[in-house]
Amino acid sequence: MQTTFSLSTIDWAIILIYFIFVLGIGWALKRYMKDSSAFLEAGRSLPAWVTGLAFISANLGAIEMIGMAASGAKYGMMTVHFYFIGAIPAMIFLAIFMMPFYYGSKARSVPEYLKMRFDEKTRGFNAFAFAIMTVFSSGISMYALALLAQVIMPLQIDWNIMGIHIGEFDFYLMVSAVIVLVYMVLGGLTSAIYNEVLQFFLIVIGFAPLVFIGLKEIGGWEGIKANLPENMMHSWKFTGSAGANPLGVEWFGVVMGLGFVLSFGYWTTNFLVVQRAMAAGSMSAARKTPLIGALPKMFLPALVVIPGMIALALSNMGELDIPLKAGTNIQDFDKVIPVLLMRYMPMGVLGVGITALMASFMSGMAGNVSAFNTVFTFDIYQAYIRPDKSDKHYLKVGRWTTVVGVLASIMTAYVARSFNNVMDFLQLIFAFVNAPLFAAFLLGMFWKRTTGHAAFWGLIGGTISAALHHGFTLPAGGSIGVKGGFFGLLHTYPSEMAQNFWTAIYAFSTALILTLVITLLTKKLKTDDELKGLVYSLTPKIKDDSKYWYQKPEFLAIIVGAIAIVLSIIFW
Amino acid sequence: MGLDIKIPIGLMFTIFGLILTILGLVTKGDTAMYEQSLGYNINLLSGLIMLVFGCFMLFTSRLFKKKTEE
């Protein structure tokens, strides 16, 4: 099978039209960017359906599009855990219980909330960790885009500019960086959010035909079932013991590790997604944001996981060759989506499918840059470098931070290119930092006694305990190094996922216990009055301004929860 | 924010829809081209869906709203 696409003029025209719209949105938004709030917080003015779609789209970058299709081929229906239990409960919790504090406190970022609730050092720790994480995530999306583009759109570029060699990879990297830079400098967070909404529809409309034809060829659900092992066709049925299912995790690890610690840590404290809800126009819209996002989120597996399963089933039938990883005889499941696009899409729809993939990578980049901007400008620059300047000054800094963010992302894209396991390494760091953070939020929001010292040392302790747990364990077949075991080997997990989930459980538990104990040993420095609006017991119950009962977030939450339960039963 | 996002979304999908629908009509009966999509004229199908979606977005956008509402 050929390994490159041949794109026709029509496909190129579709890609070009998309770029014109992306830049056009930025250009149309330019005249509204009058102050730092408009640029970095979208003026807190967007309707709930826009922020809701952006909420899940910001996460729908290269890592999810490629990674979840690959997981579909590796773990089958077990992958839906990342969508149902691994996202929905956390989104409901964020909407109902946490959004009132985030939105009501008028904090401009998650680190700023930490400063209001706890103290300066907790904010600083989170702001710096988050800034580094976003730059790396953005760089990885950029790297994935350039990698994909050079495979599917070979241009034979071989330039030499002032002694620097520019190949296709460099060319696509620069093109994507320039486009993102331009629309972000012009329209700020609103630009990022609007393009995420555009991307969402592109992915749904661009990938639906792929899934449709794929299912037709394989013979529908029954056809997939006939060609995959039974333990890949269920989400819960084989979680009685870790060895019985392809994920290598038993139900407790799934529920606690993924469903509770990792999922809540990600969806409720990661400013990349929370920022979308904070940009909503009202408290009611902010609370509905994660719920409106949750509705399509539950059906995304049909577009990203099912293609992975179709590809593996076709490959088992001998109908499809999935390319091998360079120098090995292991199938490279990261290539599943491009391979299927190539197989089923004639010119025309092919252009739309490729545009959808590129849109996903570019907004994965832009989403991270927009979150980086806000945190850098408000929580690093305004907090530590130049406080007490005019708003005009911070607007200018916000614009320049975009440039810095994009440049830093380009650097990390090259780092990702030159080190094989940089992705593993980064996911590790995210797990180390995110899991303990949820402990600080949980205690901070619901126990008014929790002190700043306790939260800070809980975070540090949780991160250290994650590193220790990782350093003393290995996944089956893993070698000592970034996979773990660097402090000695005490335990071997059946899979990398199992190890990840348990690292998160250890980190969270350590952070929770440390924060509890240190709180009891330290003096409460903030008065009840200062904590008003930041802690559950000290905040008056908010009255929702929705006109009808069926527009209230609580009602929407029940619907979302019910659908998630029904889907879990269907795919038991 | 001053720009209604429905307008660019609606415009873009209407344009994409038109391109694919016309392409689908022009290539109708080209069995070689649609062999890979199992005989479905996938351009015509997707094109019509995009056209309907694009027009729906445009008609519900601020472009077609009475002044009293905003």
Side-chain angles (χ1 to χ4, degrees):
Chain A
M1 182 184 282
Q2 69 190 100
T3 48
T4 54
F5 287 68
S6 49
L7 292 192
S8 67
T9 320
I10 291 191
D11 299 318
W12 283 109
I14 287 173
I15 295 170
L16 195 70
I17 291 170
Y18 166 71
F19 284 151
I20 293 172
F21 270 91
V22 166
L23 294 174
I25 288 173
W27 181 76
L29 286 169
K30 182 175 180 267
R31 60 200 178 100
Y32 302 107
M33 298 299 132
K34 293 207 168 75
D35 52 32
S36 67
S37 165
F39 190 75
L40 297 166
E41 301 178 272
R44 290 191 167 222
S45 63
L46 302 177
W49 74 272
V50 171
T51 52
L53 292 180
F55 186 85
I56 55 160
S57 277
N59 190 52
L60 197 55
I63 295 168
E64 177 165 348
M65 285 303 290
I66 292 182
M68 286 295 146
S71 296
K74 270 187 249 168
Y75 313 122
M77 284 307 282
M78 298 285 291
T79 313
V80 300
H81 287 311
F82 289 92
Y83 290 85
F84 301 164
I85 189 135
I88 305 303
M91 288 180 182
I92 293 177
F93 188 79
L94 171 67
I96 301 298
F97 297 106
M98 290 173 75
M99 238 20 246
F101 311 121
Y102 275 140
Y103 196 84
S105 68
K106 298 271 187 297
R108 295 170 298 181
S109 66
V110 166
E112 193 165 71
Y113 173 85
L114 285 173
K115 170 172 164 66
M116 293 163 111
R117 174 61 188 84
F118 297 120
D119 53 17
E120 194 58 63
K121 59 181 178 299
T122 313
R123 180 247 283 261
F125 179 75
N126 183 242
F128 280 100
F130 183 77
I132 294 168
M133 266 164 43
T134 44
V135 164
F136 270 97
S137 303
S138 154
I140 286 177
S141 261
M142 211 179 237
Y143 163 73
L145 185 135
L147 209 59
L148 176 88
Q150 70 173 353
V151 175
I152 62 181
M153 301 185 286
L155 283 179
Q156 263 84 50
I157 288 175
D158 194 4
W159 298 336
N160 203 320
I161 299 172
M162 291 181 291
I164 302 164
H165 172 253
I166 308 269
E168 277 165 8
F169 180 89
D170 314 277
F171 174 76
Y172 283 118
L173 199 70
M174 295 309 156
V175 170
S176 60
V178 167
I179 291 174
V180 167
L181 180 67
V182 169
Y183 81 72
M184 289 296 297
V185 167
L186 287 171
L189 177 62
T190 321
S191 240
I193 289 180
Y194 277 10
N195 279 302
E196 281 154 12
V197 177
L198 192 67
Q199 168 223 345
F200 172 80
F201 289 117
L202 261 174
I203 285 180
V204 173
I205 298 180
F207 276 56
L210 182 87
V211 178
F212 171 74
I213 296 180
L215 282 174
K216 283 283 171 199
E217 184 181 12
I218 195 91
W221 183 251
E222 291 304 315
I224 299 180
K225 214 166 151 179
N227 291 292
L228 290 184
E230 206 203 343
N231 65 5
M232 285 182 79
M233 298 304 293
H234 293 273
S235 57
W236 288 107
K237 196 174 170 185
F238 294 93
T239 52
S241 75
N245 64 71
L247 202 60
V249 191
E250 73 300 310
W251 65 271
F252 183 80
V254 172
V255 174
M256 277 304 290
L258 176 63
F260 186 61
V261 178
L262 282 175
S263 157
F264 279 69
Y266 183 81
W267 292 103
T268 70
T269 70
N270 190 321
F271 182 54
L272 170 66
V273 290
V274 174
Q275 183 179 33
R276 271 74 199 145
M278 284 176 163
S282 67
M283 172 67 90
S284 179
R287 295 182 72 204
K288 277 185 233 165
T289 296
L291 299 170
I292 290 175
L295 283 169
K297 178 81 182 169
M298 289 185 278
F299 297 95
L300 280 180
L303 293 177
V304 287
V305 180
I306 298 288
M309 294 172 69
I310 292 176
L312 184 68
L314 284 173
S315 153
N316 287 348
M317 287 163 77
E319 292 281 326
L320 175 76
D321 285 324
I322 299 174
L324 302 179
K325 281 187 184 163
T328 66
N329 51 6
I330 305 164
Q331 288 179 316
D332 186 359
F333 292 128
D334 286 354
K335 300 234 164 71
V336 157
I337 295 272
V339 162
L340 288 182
L341 274 176
M342 200 151 58
R343 181 183 180 89
Y344 293 130
M345 300 286 100
M347 70 169 180
V349 276
L350 179 63
V352 179
I354 289 174
T355 307
L357 265 187
M358 294 210 298
S360 134
F361 296 178
M362 291 215 319
S363 59
M365 219 149 99
N368 279 292
V369 171
S370 69
F372 171 81
N373 271 355
T374 309
V375 165
F376 182 85
T377 308
F378 290 147
D379 295 299
I380 295 176
Y381 186 83
Q382 190 176 30
Y384 302 110
I385 301 174
R386 290 255 188 287
D388 308 319
K389 287 273 183 177
S390 70
D391 188 71
K392 273 242 150 26
H393 179 78
Y394 294 119
L395 172 63
K396 211 167 96 190
V397 171
R399 284 223 160 91
W400 279 104
T401 307
T402 314
V403 180
V404 174
V406 171
L407 287 179
S409 310
I410 295 176
M411 273 163 53
T412 54
Y414 279 105
V415 173
R417 191 195 194 189
S418 39
F419 296 102
N420 257 335
N421 47 12
V422 72
M423 293 250 229
D424 293 338
F425 186 67
L426 282 169
Q427 273 171 351
L428 210 63
I429 304 289
F430 297 172
F432 289 5
V433 176
N434 266 346
L437 193 57
F438 179 56
F441 272 91
L442 202 60
L443 288 173
M445 282 186 171
F446 298 98
W447 188 34
K448 65 175 183 178
R449 177 81 176 76
T450 318
T451 63
H453 291 309
F456 180 74
W457 292 108
L459 285 181
I460 303 277
T463 306
I464 293 173
S465 112
L468 284 176
H469 177 265
H470 193 79
F472 281 115
T473 57
L474 262 183
S479 50
I480 292 173
V482 72
K483 303 277 181 214
F486 39 80
F487 293 135
L489 192 57
L490 295 181
H491 184 76
T492 306
Y493 285 103
S495 71
E496 251 177 75
M497 285 292 173
Q499 187 196 23
N500 283 347
F501 292 180
W502 282 100
T503 299
I505 294 173
Y506 274 94
F508 173 79
S509 312
T510 309
L512 193 77
I513 294 167
L514 268 181
T515 312
L516 268 170
V517 172
I518 299 173
T519 291
L520 294 174
L521 296 176
T522 46
K523 227 177 102 200
K524 185 170 163 235
L525 295 172
K526 298 232 173 187
T527 63
D528 280 5
D529 213 38
E530 285 174 304
L531 294 177
K532 214 172 149 197
L534 302 171
V535 180
Y536 192 75
S537 59
L538 299 173
T539 306
K541 269 255 159 39
I542 46 161
K543 262 181 74 78
D544 194 80
D545 53 2
S546 305
K547 241 194 229 152
Y548 304 103
W549 57 271
Y550 56 83
Q551 292 176 330
K552 287 193 191 303
E554 286 78 7
F555 177 71
L556 206 54
I558 293 171
I559 299 287
V560 167
I563 299 176
I565 290 170
V566 170
L567 285 172
S568 301
I569 294 171
I570 294 176
F571 296 107
W572 184 263
Chain B
M1 216 28 72
L3 172 73
D4 184 358
I5 180 65
K6 284 183 171 181
I7 298 170
I9 292 178
L11 269 178
M12 194 180 87
F13 279 102
T14 307
I15 296 174
F16 281 4
L18 281 174
I19 294 177
L20 292 194
T21 309
I22 293 170
L23 179 69
L25 289 174
V26 170
T27 56
K28 210 174 162 197
D30 186 344
T31 40
M33 177 173 166
Y34 291 110
E35 202 190 318
Q36 64 179 139
S37 56
L38 309 181
Y40 289 96
N41 189 333
I42 198 74
N43 280 324
L44 188 59
L45 287 174
S46 306
L48 289 174
I49 293 172
M50 286 184 204
L51 206 53
V52 170
F53 174 72
C55 291
F56 170 78
M57 275 293 178
L58 282 181
F59 285 129
T60 55
S61 76
R62 226 176 274 164
L63 279 181
F64 288 85
K65 249 184 201 153
K66 297 257 155 60
K67 284 220 169 93
T68 46
E69 281 192 46
E70 200 82 26

